[in-house]
Amino acid sequence: MIIDSHAHVVNENYGNVEKILYEYNKYGIDKGILFPGGMLDVRKMTLYIKGIEIPNGKYIPNDVVLDSKKKYSNRFYGFYCINPNATECIADEIKFAMDNGFVGIKLAPIVHQFSLTSNTVYELAEICGEYGLPIYTHVVYSPAASTNKVYRLSKQFRKTNFILGHMGFGPADIEAVQYAKECDNLFLETSQGSQIILEEAIKVLGSTKLIFGSEFPMYSPGVSLESIKALELNNDEFNNICCKNILNLIRKVV
């Protein structure tokens, strides 16, 4: 089985659930984990990075994920996105997510502009550890949401599993690999990871700390999968990265 562990779904044609299914069927990907998209238009990503346009984070389209996974329950899981700056009660949001079948929590620092070591994030990490919900986050070029901050979270909340998106920051974040080696509860998701950092991660970590993701619709699931196949893994290693590792992280909530 092949699971794409990081795909965004939007209502627009360029990234709706039917487009994802088309891609999955084309490239032999069995299941996907959906994240809410549309808080920024990935077709204009450079404008957000430059600060020319501002993400629209007031509305988090978790409902789009919920509708998609209900419609195609045999193909999709979902991660629920929380804005630490806006939530009134973290515990209530997590309960809502679990009651509606979400299997993890997503944080979006580029959209919601918060610190990964804020009190609210600490509370979220504590509760997720109690319920067995993994936390997915990416990092940005900011001290408030850096690779080191994810490392500090992983060290402080040992019962909580963290998935660091895109292999950390930039094309070759060697710190992310080193931190994942040190922390049993820190995993690296492969989308946008350069081939050289993927190869280094396999050498340092083996196959049990990497999780295949595509970052659809910005990247093709098929092209992303080819970067994993190019590592020339044996069957067990390939299955770990493309299926077993993520299933182990969500097994308590599925």
Side-chain angles (χ1 to χ4, degrees):
M1 181 185 293
I2 297 175
I3 300 174
D4 175 4
S5 294
H6 189 224
H8 292 274
V9 63
V10 298
N11 283 325
E12 288 80 4
N13 290 337
Y14 74 86
N16 63 22
V17 69
E18 282 73 25
K19 177 73 179 297
I20 298 175
L21 281 175
Y22 173 81
E23 295 283 327
Y24 285 1
N25 292 335
K26 180 178 180 180
Y27 295 110
I29 296 172
D30 300 284
K31 294 179 181 288
I33 297 182
L34 299 180
F35 293 69
M39 292 177 284
L40 52 76
D41 186 338
V42 295
R43 295 169 296 182
K44 303 185 291 183
M45 180 63 74
T46 302
L47 299 182
Y48 296 102
I49 294 173
K50 289 180 176 180
I52 296 172
E53 294 206 14
I54 305 299
N56 178 20
K58 291 183 178 180
Y59 161 58
I60 302 176
N62 289 307
D63 59 314
V64 180
V65 175
L66 183 59
D67 291 344
S68 297
K69 70 186 189 67
K70 282 182 176 179
K71 186 176 182 180
Y72 300 103
S73 59
N74 63 324
R75 299 296 296 271
F76 296 113
Y77 303 105
F79 268 46
Y80 184 89
C81 184
I82 291 177
N83 177 2
N85 291 330
T87 182
E88 295 182 2
C89 180
I90 284 289
D92 286 349
E93 286 221 52
I94 292 175
K95 184 178 185 304
F96 176 85
M98 295 187 69
D99 288 347
N100 284 276
F102 288 86
V103 298
I105 299 299
K106 162 69 184 297
L107 296 176
I110 194 172
V111 174
H112 295 130
Q113 300 291 307
F114 58 88
S115 172
L116 285 170
T117 50
S118 68
N119 289 335
T120 305
V121 173
Y122 282 169
E123 181 184 1
L124 184 147
E126 182 72 32
I127 297 172
C128 285
E130 293 173 3
Y131 289 116
L133 283 171
I135 297 174
Y136 179 105
T137 187
H138 56 78
V139 293
V140 295
Y141 190 60
S142 164
S146 64
T147 303
N148 182 261
K149 287 289 178 70
V150 177
Y151 168 67
R152 289 168 58 183
L153 275 173
S154 303
K155 291 279 285 184
Q156 185 163 346
F157 297 95
R158 289 293 195 176
K159 294 197 306 182
T160 307
N161 289 313
F162 295 90
I163 303 171
L164 177 54
H166 317 314
M167 302 292 291
F169 178 77
D173 189 346
I174 194 62
E175 283 187 316
V177 176
Q178 293 166 345
Y179 293 152
K181 182 179 181 181
E182 183 176 338
C183 298
D184 292 340
N185 59 333
L186 178 57
F187 299 80
L188 305 181
E189 182 264 316
T190 64
S191 66
Q192 301 186 43
S194 65
Q195 204 65 29
I196 197 165
I197 201 65
L198 288 170
E199 292 171 358
E200 184 67 15
I202 284 290
K203 183 170 66 176
V204 174
L205 301 172
S207 63
T208 60
K209 300 300 290 292
L210 301 182
I211 293 171
F212 165 63
S214 72
E215 183 71 344
F216 176 92
M218 180 173 280
Y219 293 89
S220 161
V223 173
S224 300
L225 185 59
E226 284 300 317
S227 69
I228 304 300
K229 292 179 178 179
L231 296 171
E232 299 183 347
L233 307 167
N234 62 42
N235 287 337
D236 287 341
E237 291 170 330
F238 182 83
N239 288 334
N240 283 340
I241 295 171
C242 291
C243 177
K244 290 184 178 179
N245 295 340
I246 188 61
L247 288 180
N248 284 339
L249 294 188
I250 65 174
R251 69 182 186 278
K252 291 184 179 180
V253 288
V254 295

